[in-house]
Amino acid sequence: MELREFWDGQAEAWGRFARTPGHDVYHEAFNFPAFLSLIPPPGRRTLDLGCGEGRVGAELTRRGHTVVGVDASPAMVAMARERHEAFVADAGALPFEDGSFDLVVAYMSVMNLDDPEAGVREAARVLEPGGRLCVAVTHPFGLVARFVSEEPDATYVIEGSYFEPEDRVWDSDRAGIRFVFHDRPLPLERLFGAFEQAGLWVETLREPRPSETFVREHELSARRQRVPLFLHLRAVKP
């Protein structure tokens, strides 16, 4: 399955899911706040790579960034344009000149590209020297394994191969909004290899942990607190 087709077909449901407060609590109260701490101050121009319906670009705009979004889904881009400038484009063939941006953000999008290496390579191309790429993905270790029971000290078992993982597909159904998640785990070697091939230097790596407040308010189980859920990276173009 081409992920661009999958996400375009999910656009309407995703838009309702993402824009309904309290639905995506991991984004609102955990992942995105941690990711924001990684992002440099506003500069000349910021590219939101895989912008989806525009929630990341909207917040960056509010914080003073001049945001341009790109996404392969026309339906997603139509929603994003309600919030900032956005274009329909393949992440592996961006319609911008070399050095057009001083910042590229790819929040939860690189693992949803049909060609992650091409997306990272193009992000590097459109960055100016000294510019930065900030990436958030689902942690590969959190996608390729499962707990064998509900106990706090349950064993965590890798199913299949970490090096050649299968796609992960699961449903979310809250308040009548059904949405299907589809992610492709990226082993660390493949992810870092994409940065290396693009000539980017990774300067920061973070595995954010949920706050005590988040754990308490959302009843995050003790076993889930033992495993990294997200991976954040910041790289610089020399």
Side-chain angles (χ1 to χ4, degrees), residues 91-149:
L94 294 174
F96 307 111
E97 295 182 357
D98 297 0
S100 297
F101 300 88
D102 60 301
L103 175 63
V104 177
V105 297
Y107 176 79
M108 305 304 287
S109 61
V110 172
M111 76 277 195
N112 284 308
L113 300 179
D114 287 307
D115 189 342
E117 288 81 3
V120 172
R121 185 169 60 249
E122 277 291 274
R125 180 185 66 78
V126 301
L127 275 174
E128 64 182 27
R132 283 169 169 80
L133 169 63
C134 296
V135 171
V137 295
T138 306
H139 201 293
F141 193 60
L143 286 175
V144 300
R146 67 175 180 85
F147 289 99
V148 298
S149 75

Side-chain angles (χ1 to χ4, degrees), residues 17-183:
F17 175 84
R19 293 186 175 185
T20 302
H23 273 46
D24 195 351
V25 296
Y26 278 82
H27 162 79
E28 295 171 9
F30 175 21
N31 191 24
F32 192 47
F35 184 66
L36 285 172
S37 70
L38 196 74
I39 295 177
R44 179 168 61 92
R45 202 172 181 215
T46 296
L47 176 65
D48 185 357
L49 185 69
C51 65
E53 51 71 51
R55 62 183 180 178
V56 171
E59 178 59 25
L60 293 180
T61 298
R62 191 186 72 79
R63 291 169 176 253
H65 292 256
T66 300
V67 175
V68 178
V70 294
D71 202 284
S73 164
M76 292 284 195
V77 169
M79 288 186 283
R81 283 176 177 158
E82 299 170 4
R83 298 179 160 184
H84 55 73
E85 186 178 8
F87 299 93
V88 178
D90 185 339
L94 294 174
F96 307 111
E97 295 182 357
D98 297 0
S100 297
F101 300 88
D102 60 301
L103 175 63
V104 177
V105 297
Y107 176 79
M108 305 304 287
S109 61
V110 172
M111 76 277 195
N112 284 308
L113 300 179
D114 287 307
D115 189 342
E117 288 81 3
V120 172
R121 185 169 60 249
E122 277 291 274
R125 180 185 66 78
V126 301
L127 275 174
E128 64 182 27
R132 283 169 169 80
L133 169 63
C134 296
V135 171
V137 295
T138 306
H139 201 293
F141 193 60
L143 286 175
V144 300
R146 67 175 180 85
F147 289 99
V148 298
S149 75
E150 300 294 324
E151 298 301 317
D153 60 350
T155 301
Y156 196 57
V157 179
I158 291 179
E159 297 180 319
S161 170
Y162 168 83
F163 298 104
E164 298 178 1
E166 295 183 356
D167 291 6
R168 282 286 303 274
V169 181
W170 69 96
D171 291 356
S172 173
D173 191 349
R174 302 176 188 172
I177 300 176
R178 181 177 181 272
F179 180 74
V180 181
F181 286 90
H182 189 141
D183 289 326

